[in-house]
Amino acid sequence: MPDYALYLLNEDGTNSFLLKESLKDDQKEIEIPIPSKEFTREYIQKGGVFYHFNEWNSHFIRYQLDDNKHMVAVDSIQFKDGYLENYLWKGDTDTLLLFIVEKKTTARARMYMVDTKEFKLIRDEALPFPASVADFNLLSIGLVDFVDDKLWMAYCYSKVLTIDDYTTSDTMYYATLDFSSFDIVNLQKDTRSSYPGGINTVQSYSFRDDQGDFYFMSCPGVALGNNLSKPTAIFRKKAGSQQVDTSYMLDVSERILNHAYGFWYVGGQKAIIRSEQRDLYTDFSNHHSVFQFEYYLVDLATKKLEKINIPLDKGTRKENVLVQDGYVYFGIDSDGKKHEVWRYTPANGKTDKVFSASKSVNYILRLDFLK
């Protein structure tokens, strides 16, 4: 099994994995085509095993790479009709928690608990949240955390404005559930921003730092919450607490005058964010295709931001940041049909290009470590 996988969207509309022993130009690589309706970039990967919720038939499927380097479905579990919004590994175990919002109502949600070793469903629970708040009737499960047999969840409500526009309410909700009974034991409301987190099979929005504090980012920008009056911001839930720390908020939009999407931990109280540039795109229709995205190193303690010297990127939401061994690797799609992996050293700010993919690629959508 190679160590790394780049998930690619190619110019002809096909998807493929590019498997590499290391993220360098001179290393052997294998490309694996992916059938478009069977597997998407919205997957969960652990130890080289891939899990995917197929929204066409509501099956949760386990995939592996066979000896011929093909992606093969080896098992599946039937779920109810829905959209997978978030997942969480329950501690250091093979137990996977999946949070799915029903398709028909887009307002009711369920948790499925799967034993991935035996690959069987071991629990199915309805989440005890209201179907709507006022006329905001679209529920989003943006963040999940598990501490001391308590399930903590951040969610919000949106509504459709026109056939091609929607917005999110001004309130974020943080609920703590007793994991045994699924009763809500604490509910906290926060109006400092909107749209906490997002679909984490597409992009990361939270992490736990070296001290065990849980940090997360809100995403009210045009690509997610579409409540532009609210700032993109970083929040904290301290170790051992089920309450968000109301004394801490890092207002990202105030510092860079833009919204951001994506949040990855580097270590040592430092994180990476990926920000749009409002003056470079017209509206959501060309948001994904404009070379506009910048990356910043964020100091969570001092609240300072430092722009990273790499080319402007395209693609609205990507899981293209990998932190490993003191380096940060970025899958960048830049002007001139360049699709490259860049390496950044937070200790000294140095950046260098380590790999170039074929020009027939359109996007590097994901960058995964497979071990």
Side-chain angles (χ1 to χ4, degrees):
M1 168 76 70
D3 285 355
Y4 300 92
L6 284 74
Y7 192 75
L8 309 175
L9 174 60
N10 302 305
E11 286 190 338
D12 63 1
T14 63
N15 291 102
S16 59
F17 273 113
L18 187 65
L19 305 180
K20 294 180 64 63
E21 296 295 338
S22 78
L23 295 174
K24 294 182 180 178
D25 265 325
D26 58 350
Q27 298 297 309
K28 180 181 177 182
E29 55 193 53
I30 303 166
E31 188 162 3
I32 300 176
I34 303 297
S36 59
K37 286 192 177 181
E38 295 180 21
F39 193 90
T40 71
R41 63 159 170 170
E42 297 180 27
Y43 59 78
I44 301 162
Q45 186 272 137
K46 185 177 183 181
V49 179
F50 298 81
Y51 305 92
H52 176 246
F53 181 65
N54 188 321
E55 292 176 357
W56 295 87
N57 58 23
S58 298
H59 278 78
F60 185 60
I61 307 170
R62 178 169 62 182
Y63 289 85
Q64 288 181 318
L65 298 175
D66 69 6
D67 292 339
N68 296 316
K69 300 298 186 292
H70 293 128
M71 183 68 71
V72 178
V74 295
D75 212 341
S76 69
I77 302 171
Q78 176 74 62
F79 287 169
K80 293 181 176 64
D81 196 27
Y83 299 101
L84 178 58
E85 297 246 325
N86 238 275
Y87 74 90
L88 179 71
W89 291 98
K90 186 173 177 284
D92 189 22
T93 70
D94 294 312
T95 301
L96 180 60
L97 307 180
L98 302 166
F99 301 87
I100 290 179
V101 173
E102 293 177 4
K103 277 185 183 178
K104 291 180 181 178
T105 65
T106 60
R108 300 193 181 279
R110 307 191 72 82
M111 183 201 76
Y112 294 95
M113 186 160 69
V114 175
D115 179 338
T116 59
K117 189 173 184 181
E118 300 295 329
F119 207 68
K120 63 181 181 180
L121 180 64
I122 54 179
R123 190 173 177 185
D124 174 2
E125 296 277 0
L127 297 178
F129 304 146
S132 61
V133 174
D135 60 339
F136 290 85
N137 60 353
L138 305 177
L139 172 64
S140 296
I141 307 296
L143 299 159
V144 289
D145 188 30
F146 187 84
V147 180
D148 297 332
D149 208 36
K150 298 289 190 302
L151 184 64
W152 179 90
M153 305 180 69
Y155 60 98
C156 62
Y157 294 91
S158 302
K159 67 177 177 180
V160 173
L161 298 175
T162 67
I163 193 170
D164 55 3
D165 197 16
Y166 75 102
T167 191
T168 303
S169 78
D170 288 342
T171 304
M172 302 185 293
Y173 298 86
Y174 313 133
T176 301
L177 280 63
D178 180 271
F179 195 68
S180 298
S181 66
F182 248 52
D183 293 335
I184 297 176
V185 296
N186 185 69
L187 180 63
Q188 188 179 5
K189 299 179 183 181
D190 195 343
T191 59
R192 292 176 293 173
S193 184
S194 181
Y195 209 94
I199 298 173
N200 71 343
T201 54
V202 178
Q203 194 173 47
S204 296
Y205 306 95
S206 65
F207 53 77
R208 183 161 277 106
D209 75 357
D210 311 315
Q211 288 74 44
D213 294 342
F214 182 83
Y215 285 86
F216 64 93
M217 190 166 76
S218 63
C219 299
V222 66
L224 283 177
N226 199 28
N227 185 339
L228 303 184
S229 64
K230 294 289 186 177
T232 294
I234 295 169
F235 302 91
R236 178 177 66 191
K237 180 166 64 74
K238 300 198 76 171
S241 175
Q242 297 294 345
Q243 293 271 335
V244 171
D245 180 2
T246 57
S247 70
Y248 182 92
M249 174 179 168
L250 196 168
D251 189 328
V252 171
S253 296
E254 182 182 48
R255 285 161 173 75
I256 64 173
L257 304 179
N258 279 296
H259 288 287
Y261 317 90
F263 189 40
W264 297 269
Y265 190 50
V266 175
Q269 291 286 286
K270 304 289 198 307
I272 300 292
I273 62 168
R274 184 175 189 265
S275 71
E276 68 187 15
Q277 295 188 71
R278 182 66 186 90
D279 58 332
L280 296 183
Y281 70 92
T282 306
D283 53 32
F284 189 61
S285 65
N286 71 339
H287 192 269
H288 67 287
S289 59
V290 173
F291 300 105
Q292 61 160 314
F293 288 95
E294 300 177 315
Y295 294 82
Y296 286 85
L297 181 69
V298 180
D299 189 315
L300 299 169
T302 66
K303 300 184 179 180
K304 292 181 179 179
L305 277 70
E306 177 184 338
K307 188 162 70 172
I308 298 170
N309 183 30
I310 53 179
L312 293 180
D313 193 14
K314 71 172 182 176
T316 292
R317 291 182 296 157
K318 304 195 293 188
E319 184 63 16
N320 63 326
V321 177
L322 178 63
V323 180
Q324 190 176 57
D325 299 330
Y327 298 105
V328 183
Y329 296 91
F330 302 88
I332 300 294
D333 304 300
S334 58
D335 201 3
K337 291 190 174 182
K338 296 177 181 177
H339 309 282
E340 303 166 331
V341 174
W342 281 75
R343 180 175 60 186
Y344 167 61
T345 309
N348 58 21
K350 180 183 176 182
T351 61
D352 59 320
K353 178 177 68 70
V354 295
F355 170 69
S356 296
S358 167
K359 289 191 176 183
S360 63
V361 172
N362 204 354
Y363 294 93
I364 301 173
L365 295 173
R366 294 183 61 122
L367 179 56
D368 285 288
F369 182 63
L370 303 180
K371 299 297 184 181

